[in-house]
Amino acid sequence: MATRGGLSFDPDHHSITRLIHHQAKTHFHNNQLKLQQILPRFPAPPPPSPPLMDAPVKSPPTTTIQFPVSHGDHGKRKVLDEMDFFADKNEGGGGGGRDDDEEENVGIEHHRLDFKVNTGLHLLTTANTGSEESGVDDGMSSIPENKRSKIEMAFLQSEMERMNSENARLKEMLDQMTNNYNGLQMHVLTMMHQRSDNQAGGATAEESKNGHDNGLLVPRQFMDLGFGGNEEGSLSPPEGRIGRDMPPAPDKDVVGGDEPCSESKVQKLAHSPRSVDQATEATMRKARVSVRARSEAAMITDGCQWRKYGQKLAKGNPCPRAYYRCTMAAGCPVRKQVQRCADDTSILITTYEGNHNHPLPPAAMAMASTTSSAARMLLSGSMPSADGIMNSNFLARTLLPCSSSMATISASAPFPTITLDLTQSPNPLQFPKPSNQFPLSFLNPSQNMAAAGSSAAAALLPQIFGQALYNQSKFSGLQMSSAQELDQGAHEHLSSPLPPSLHQACQQNQLSETVNALATDPNFTAALAAAISSLIGGGGGPSPNNGCPNPNNNNGNNNNNNNNNGNGNVTSSNNSSNGNNKLNSSGFQVN
DNA sequence: CGATTTTGACCGGCGC
DNA sequence: GCGCCGGTCAAAATCG
């Protein structure tokens, strides 16, 4: 490694760029030698590089070797040259800037290009891109030092650009393959699950009818990812059910939150004409999906719009619990509770209940599909038995194939609850680190990510947590008929400020990396939190709405109306993050 | 001024 | 029956 092709590589510097440079030059030199053997008609390249790099200098007339150089002499010659070598197809397509007098050389050029393409691996061939650079080597001795260094610099730059783009392409491909793999895995698992359900008599025809019990579910134009609109429609008045607008009685009936798993109610419903559906619905509505995510924000981004309707201090947790209901549609019964973990206040626990009865934006759909799938599977597994016995491992794998340890089921009543823990590290095999993956990632991973789309990351910071969840659900493969649809949705969701390439890189690479990084890299998490804080501008950062209150919740915990902490005045300090609440409600802001 | 948040009060289930 | 507790209501306050 120290020496190659007669050039010495200084191991002390460990300069990758030098190495690349050296290898490229070596390859090119070899190719040039072969060229000269095979195409004796063409004289050995006169020191072409200087003209190549220092544009204005006389360029050898029609010397074929120089031909590519003369193509796109518009300043960014490097790139054009590179493109030329790869795109002989494109070349034929009427390459801009080709002179007529050069036409006679076309055949020769193609011949030569073909040869070059066949001389080695694609990667190496591209390394030869600066074929004219060969002249760099050849004429190196006669070139002034500064010119030589210039040439080398330019070459290195072009090399790096090329490698970066290649790196991005490879990443893309790998991500797609990963997605496909996960999707297939999901399909297999869900089919197995379906079969086992059918055997156990548990997988209901209802679910199948509704198309909710397998991973092949069609998105249903974003409609009610939980139980179909039929159920919600049948149960819920079309509108005016939220908050003050809604008549009290129907609300409670519909929400059913007041009767935790009461069998009497289920039985009552079972006797009604809509018995099975209703019973399932009633139980379903009580099923809860809890998402644990490490976040300093007051609320994770799930794409929905929420309105806070209450806050209390729950027993055993000094952090207040906030109650939200979905406000994206008038009658949406979905509610969620947000509370920080008592043990680790950096963990935000979001518990969802119910199913949306309205269209959802893609980002929201991802979360909704994940949670509603979790709830459905939880119920489908738990309903037949009183204890809610089911194979949690299977469920976990089905929900989160990337990390089977991330989903846990709480057997504790009153509500069957499944917890998706996004605070744990996913299986590293699912997302190999870029640095291991791509030989050209001589940047450290964070740099790599930054290179992939740092600006995009900045633009997406408010969504990253949601995107983490989004990707999680994406890889779960639940509810989505194809990864493309999710991708599309994500593209729509992310589309605005990004150029296509960056957009795609961001979508397919960065976000998945982000998920990984979020779970694995504490530094990244910290940086992310800091960035979010700065974005929010509050600076106060980690004193979110539901952040643990100051320890002055004197009266302690167990007052009837816990939210007032006993004297009603303290609450304002508890909720001192008032300003934050506003932002929270958007559902697209991680506040 | 409408939308949202705050917050004290209220309701209902549950355990004793 | 009583108190605890989780959950919700709804008037007042706040925000944009």
Side-chain angles (χ1 to χ4, degrees):
Chain A
M1 198 68 165
T3 63
R4 198 167 175 177
L7 290 181
S8 65
F9 172 69
D10 184 2
D12 292 335
H13 288 101
H14 290 288
S15 164
I16 295 179
T17 54
R18 284 182 66 95
L19 177 60
I20 293 171
H21 181 196
H22 165 68
Q23 287 180 333
K25 282 199 295 187
T26 303
H27 278 290
F28 183 72
H29 184 70
N30 293 338
N31 284 345
Q32 285 295 81
L33 291 178
K34 289 180 184 176
L35 255 181
Q36 291 174 23
Q37 292 172 357
I38 294 181
L39 302 174
R41 167 189 165 181
F42 305 104
S49 307
L52 171 67
M53 302 317 299
D54 300 339
V57 186
K58 51 172 184 201
S59 102
T62 47
T63 314
T64 52
I65 298 296
Q66 296 305 317
F67 181 76
V69 182
S70 61
H71 274 259
D73 196 49
H74 301 311
K76 299 204 170 185
R77 208 171 303 150
K78 280 282 162 198
V79 176
L80 289 177
D81 289 345
E82 193 170 286
M83 294 304 296
D84 284 346
F85 276 99
F86 279 110
D88 35 10
K89 319 162 196 167
N90 299 340
E91 191 81 293
R98 181 193 295 269
D99 294 337
D100 285 346
D101 23 338
E102 290 172 349
E103 287 297 337
E104 62 188 29
N105 294 328
V106 167
I108 296 168
E109 181 193 32
H110 276 287
H111 185 183
R112 178 180 167 223
L113 289 177
D114 288 345
F115 165 75
K116 290 182 71 124
V117 168
N118 291 334
T119 53
L121 294 175
H122 212 56
L123 291 179
L124 296 180
T125 307
T126 56
N128 299 339
T129 325
S131 57
E132 283 62 32
E133 308 294 350
S134 82
V136 174
D137 232 3
D138 295 340
M140 205 57 92
S141 58
S142 64
I143 302 173
E145 188 61 28
N146 58 348
K147 277 193 175 183
R148 177 181 166 181
S149 60
K150 268 188 188 176
I151 291 167
E152 289 185 2
M153 279 292 296
F155 181 80
L156 287 177
Q157 282 182 346
S158 68
E159 271 302 304
M160 287 185 64
E161 287 175 9
R162 182 190 62 77
M163 289 175 175
N164 280 338
S165 65
E166 192 172 292
N167 200 4
R169 279 201 309 273
L170 290 171
K171 275 186 185 177
E172 233 172 79
M173 290 172 59
L174 187 79
D175 282 339
Q176 285 180 351
M177 290 179 65
T178 304
N179 291 350
N180 291 340
Y181 171 78
N182 283 320
L184 287 173
Q185 190 180 36
M186 269 310 307
H187 288 174
V188 171
L189 288 173
T190 48
M191 288 174 71
M192 288 171 58
H193 177 55
Q194 192 174 6
R195 185 191 297 177
S196 66
D197 275 352
N198 289 336
Q199 287 173 352
T204 69
E206 290 300 325
E207 285 177 340
S208 297
K209 185 179 66 183
N210 291 337
H212 289 303
D213 58 340
N214 58 27
L216 302 175
L217 176 69
V218 176
R220 302 182 62 176
Q221 62 254 2
F222 304 151
M223 275 301 289
D224 181 23
L225 293 157
F227 288 102
N230 56 347
E231 144 219 315
E232 290 296 345
S234 65
L235 267 184
S236 59
E239 56 191 344
R241 288 179 44 222
I242 283 192
R244 303 161 193 157
D245 301 334
M246 83 177 73
D251 178 26
K252 302 206 170 195
D253 206 27
V254 169
V255 172
D258 299 329
E259 282 193 16
C261 289
S262 88
E263 290 188 17
S264 61
K265 179 166 185 173
V266 172
Q267 285 175 350
K268 209 187 296 179
L269 288 171
H271 293 304
S272 72
R274 306 167 289 185
S275 55
V276 179
D277 278 349
Q278 300 290 328
T280 305
E281 293 164 11
T283 312
M284 179 67 175
R285 199 167 286 108
K286 289 166 188 127
R288 294 180 174 180
V289 178
S290 181
V291 177
R292 288 164 55 91
R294 206 172 284 278
S295 169
E296 297 300 324
M299 204 164 69
I300 62 174
T301 300
D302 50 24
C304 279
Q305 294 178 354
W306 303 94
R307 177 180 167 186
K308 190 176 184 178
Y309 66 88
Q311 176 168 314
K312 296 200 83 167
L313 273 178
K315 186 183 178 184
N317 191 339
C319 306
R321 175 186 299 164
Y323 299 89
Y324 297 87
R325 57 164 58 97
C326 176
T327 61
M328 294 192 77
C332 184
V334 175
R335 313 211 166 168
K336 78 171 179 180
Q337 302 173 5
V338 180
Q339 187 174 33
R340 295 211 162 267
C341 179
D343 297 332
D344 184 355
T345 58
S346 68
I347 295 177
L348 201 61
I349 304 173
T350 306
T351 304
Y352 295 88
E353 176 184 349
N355 296 283
H356 296 281
N357 63 351
H358 54 84
L360 292 172
M365 184 175 67
M367 173 59 87
S369 67
T370 302
T371 56
S372 93
S373 295
R376 188 174 312 107
M377 297 184 68
L378 171 65
L379 289 174
S380 71
S382 64
M383 279 177 63
S385 68
D387 295 335
I389 297 171
M390 70 180 299
N391 186 340
S392 63
N393 281 338
F394 173 81
L395 177 60
R397 281 186 203 164
T398 305
L399 285 171
L400 302 168
C402 327
S403 55
S404 58
S405 65
M406 291 171 77
T408 57
I409 297 172
S410 165
S412 66
F415 306 106
T417 302
I418 180 170
T419 299
L420 309 180
D421 192 346
L422 300 182
T423 65
Q424 299 176 11
S425 299
N427 182 353
L429 291 178
Q430 295 292 330
F431 300 105
K433 291 222 169 192
S435 56
N436 299 333
Q437 206 172 336
F438 305 106
L440 298 182
S441 312
F442 44 79
L443 302 173
N444 67 42
S446 60
Q447 283 174 319
N448 238 358
M449 190 182 299
S454 58
S455 61
L460 293 171
L461 271 175
Q463 303 171 348
I464 283 180
F465 286 108
Q467 287 299 328
L469 302 174
Y470 178 91
N471 279 12
Q472 193 66 67
S473 68
K474 172 179 173 178
F475 287 118
S476 80
L478 289 172
Q479 303 281 352
M480 298 306 295
S481 59
S482 69
Q484 283 87 351
E485 296 191 10
L486 256 177
D487 281 344
Q488 179 139 9
H491 277 278
E492 291 170 10
H493 181 54
L494 301 171
S495 58
S496 38
L498 306 178
S501 58
L502 187 55
H503 186 200
Q504 192 170 12
C506 176
Q507 176 60 33
Q508 296 194 347
N509 300 330
Q510 181 184 350
L511 287 181
S512 61
E513 292 173 3
T514 300
V515 176
N516 194 28
L518 274 173
T520 58
D521 186 356
N523 293 333
F524 178 81
T525 306
L528 192 58
I532 290 173
S533 299
S534 68
L535 271 187
I536 296 165
S543 66
N545 188 12
N546 297 314
C548 269
N550 42 24
N552 65 352
N553 60 347
N554 41 12
N555 285 347
N557 12 11
N558 302 339
N559 288 343
N560 274 353
N561 297 311
N562 298 324
N563 56 346
N564 60 3
N565 288 338
N567 58 8
N569 292 332
V570 185
T571 39
S572 60
S573 67
N574 260 357
N575 301 329
S576 57
S577 49
N578 302 345
N580 295 340
N581 290 336
K582 285 293 180 185
L583 289 176
N584 290 344
S585 65
S586 74
F588 290 91
Q589 289 284 341
V590 172
N591 183 9

